[in-house]
Amino acid sequence: MSNERYLKSELGSSRYQIYGENNQKTIILIPASNGYVEQWDPNVAPLVNAGYKVVVYDLFGRGFSSRPDVDLTLSVFTEQLDSVIREVGADRVSLVGSSFGGIIAAEYARNKQEKVTKLVFVGPAGWPSKVNYAQKIINIPVVGELLFKYFGEIILKPRVEGCFHQEKEHRWAIDMWQKFSQSPGFMRTYYRP
C-alpha cells in the first residue's frame, strides 16, 4: 500500500500518503512518537471503505521525513500537520492521534477549531512536565547526545515493543521501526524532542 509523496517546507520534507482521494471526508492519522506511516496500514482500507480520504504522514525526525537540526517542539509538529492539511486541500478534517500524535491533534484542534470536525485519541500520551533524574542526565550538553547516539536503540526499542499487546503478530511494525532507527539523525531527534 504505497503511494509515497513528499511535502517540502523550510525544515525539510514530510513523507505522506493519501488513500481514497475521491472520498469526501478527510481523516488525518497522526503517528506516535515512535511511529511512522506504515503503522497505520491495518487501518487504511477500513477507513477508505467507510468513505474517508485517509492521509498518513511521518512526523519530522521519524520514518522518511526530514530530521531537521532544530528543537522539535509541539509548535513545529502542529505547523507540520497544518502544512499537510493544506497540501491535501482539506478545509475540515477528522484527526486521529496515536499516543504523542494525540498531543499534536489536541493542540492543533485547540488552535484551529474551525478546521477540525472530529478528534480521536488512541492511547494518548502526555507532554512531559516534570524533569526526572534520567531527563536531567540527558539534558547535560553532549552527554544526552552521546547516550542516544550509542544506546538510543537499547533505550527506545523496549518502548516500541511495549506498545503491542501481541508482539509476535506485530513483529513487522517493530522491524520497520528498527529499520528507521538506523537512519542518520534518527536518534538525535529523540535527544532533541
Side-chain angles (χ1 to χ4, degrees):
M1 264 195 177
S2 180
N3 63 13
E4 230 167 76
R5 303 172 191 200
Y6 289 86
L7 166 62
K8 298 205 183 294
S9 72
E10 190 177 294
L11 293 178
S13 60
S14 299
R15 177 176 72 139
Y16 71 100
Q17 297 174 355
I18 303 174
Y19 299 93
E21 290 188 60
N22 297 326
N23 292 345
Q24 296 289 321
K25 304 173 283 185
T26 302
I27 188 167
I28 311 279
L29 305 178
I30 308 167
S33 177
N34 281 321
Y36 44 84
V37 163
E38 291 81 5
Q39 87 175 56
W40 296 107
D41 283 355
N43 307 99
V44 170
L47 289 168
V48 169
N49 292 338
Y52 287 97
K53 174 183 358 180
V54 179
V55 179
V56 294
Y57 72 101
D58 289 330
L59 298 175
F60 282 129
R62 283 54 169 184
F64 288 127
S65 284
S66 293
R67 287 142 177 63
D69 193 12
V70 299
D71 288 336
L72 294 175
T73 61
L74 187 54
S75 63
V76 168
F77 289 123
T78 56
E79 179 54 38
Q80 181 189 24
L81 171 58
D82 194 52
S83 296
V84 169
I85 291 169
R86 287 192 313 268
E87 177 72 11
V88 301
D91 294 326
R92 301 197 64 192
V93 297
S94 295
L95 299 175
V96 176
S98 173
S99 188
F100 177 67
I103 296 168
I104 297 167
E107 183 67 9
Y108 186 84
R110 186 176 75 85
N111 292 309
K112 307 240 182 190
Q113 296 173 26
E114 71 284 357
K115 289 188 169 189
V116 179
T117 57
K118 294 178 185 167
L119 192 56
V120 177
F121 301 117
V122 180
W127 191 263
S129 60
K130 293 183 179 179
V131 177
N132 63 33
Y133 184 70
Q135 288 171 316
K136 286 180 183 178
I137 291 172
I138 288 171
N139 289 332
I140 297 172
V142 182
V143 173
E145 189 172 357
L146 288 172
L147 278 173
F148 270 83
K149 182 176 181 178
Y150 295 106
F151 303 106
E153 187 174 333
I154 294 168
I155 294 167
L156 295 173
K157 189 175 179 189
R159 288 179 160 181
V160 173
E161 292 170 338
C163 290
F164 300 101
H165 177 65
Q166 297 172 332
E167 183 184 328
K168 288 181 182 177
E169 290 180 27
H170 298 95
R171 189 77 230 165
W172 65 270
I174 296 164
D175 291 344
M176 182 67 74
W177 176 87
Q178 197 160 10
K179 172 185 167 185
F180 290 132
S181 74
Q182 303 304 311
S183 301
F186 181 87
M187 289 303 165
R188 176 181 41 78
T189 64
Y190 279 92
Y191 165 67
R192 293 174 79 170

